[in-house]
């Protein structure tokens, strides 16, 4: 028979294991944000031809704006440069980056061949954040993994990072944008983003 001390340690270990593997009480709300976003992507893919780029953009805009914490994402991307910007410049970057994100999704998800999304797991991370792992199931091709880092703000879950097949777009943009600011300044970064939006077909100002 185990000693009382070993027995207590054993029970405590089981409690920790159960706690770490059981879903959080609010997992459902967090997953719902991702699945609503995915439903919008499926919608624009299925209706890509009739919607055209502008229709896909208009469909995605309210969903991205309510699902992504773009102000926080902007601060993370610009890092130390964020505090050097005035309030007007900060708002300009947040707005422009939001339009770039919408334009990018509208451009990439422009056709459908029976695609579907599947949520595979939810992991609890530090600071109350969650990592929601999903897959884009494609006909006659291997699935694409999409992992979403989400956090809560004012009682609502928001996406703060997307990792596609192991590639963190947030990290890539952070390195790229900081290099541009360091070498050419903030105005040059704004011009670069505007050119990218224009190249994708998106609006350079709010509609």
């Amino acid at each position: 028979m185990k000693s009382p001390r070993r027995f207590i340690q054993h029970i405590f270990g089981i409690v920790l294991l159960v706690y770490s593997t059981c879903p959080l009480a609010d997992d459902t709300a967090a997953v719902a944000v991702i699945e609503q976003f995915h439903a919008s992507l499926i919608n624009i893919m299925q209706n890509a031809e009739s919607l055209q780029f502008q229709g896909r953009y208009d469909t995605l805009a309210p969903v991205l704006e309510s699902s992504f914490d773009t102000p926080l994402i902007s601060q993370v991307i610009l890092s130390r440069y964020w505090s050097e910007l005035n309030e007007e410049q900060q708002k300009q970057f947040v707005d422009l980056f939001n339009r770039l994100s919408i334009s990018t999704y509208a451009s990439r998800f422009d056709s459908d061949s029976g695609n579907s999304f599947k949520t595979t797991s939810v992991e609890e991370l530090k600071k109350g954040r969650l990592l929601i792992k999903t897959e884009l199931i494609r006909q006659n091709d291997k699935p694409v993994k999409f992992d979403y880092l989400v956090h809560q703000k004012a009682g609502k879950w928001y996406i703060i990072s997307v990792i596609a097949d192991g590639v963190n777009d947030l990290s890539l943009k952070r390195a790229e944008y900081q290099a541009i600011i360091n070498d050419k300044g903030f105005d040059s970064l704004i011009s670069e983003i505007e050119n990218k939006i224009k190249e994708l077909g998106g609006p350079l100002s709010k509609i």
Side-chain angles (χ1 to χ4, degrees), residues 9-24:
Q9 289 175 337
H10 176 69
I11 294 298
F12 183 66
I14 293 176
V15 170
L16 285 179
L17 178 62
V18 171
Y19 178 78
S20 63
T21 56
C22 284
L24 298 178

Side-chain angles (χ1 to χ4, degrees), residues 20-24 27-28 30-31 34-35 38 117-125 130-135 145-150:
S20 63
T21 56
C22 284
L24 298 178
D27 273 3
T28 302
V31 171
I34 304 303
E35 293 187 343
H38 284 169
F117 282 97
K118 178 178 72 173
T119 300
T120 58
S121 68
V122 180
E123 296 180 10
E124 182 182 4
L125 304 178
L130 301 176
L131 183 66
I132 301 176
K133 296 187 176 184
T134 73
E135 290 183 347
K145 296 181 183 297
F146 284 96
D147 298 340
Y148 296 88
L149 180 62
V150 300

Side-chain angles (χ1 to χ4, degrees), residues 63-132:
V63 181
L64 263 76
E65 289 169 1
S66 65
S67 302
F68 286 73
D69 190 350
T70 306
L72 177 60
I73 293 171
S74 299
Q75 292 181 48
V76 171
I77 287 176
L78 296 187
S79 190
R80 65 184 180 88
Y81 294 105
W82 178 260
S83 61
E84 298 176 4
L85 303 178
N86 59 42
E87 186 176 349
E88 183 179 347
Q89 289 174 317
Q90 290 176 350
K91 289 181 178 179
Q92 180 185 23
F93 181 83
V94 171
D95 175 59
L96 204 61
F97 187 78
N98 182 57
R99 280 183 272 124
L100 174 63
S101 298
I102 300 168
S103 299
T104 301
Y105 280 107
S107 175
R108 290 180 180 174
F109 290 83
D110 62 348
S111 62
D112 177 56
S113 57
N115 299 315
S116 63
F117 282 97
K118 178 178 72 173
T119 300
T120 58
S121 68
V122 180
E123 296 180 10
E124 182 182 4
L125 304 178
K126 295 179 179 178
K127 299 181 181 179
R129 294 175 175 177
L130 301 176
L131 183 66
I132 301 176

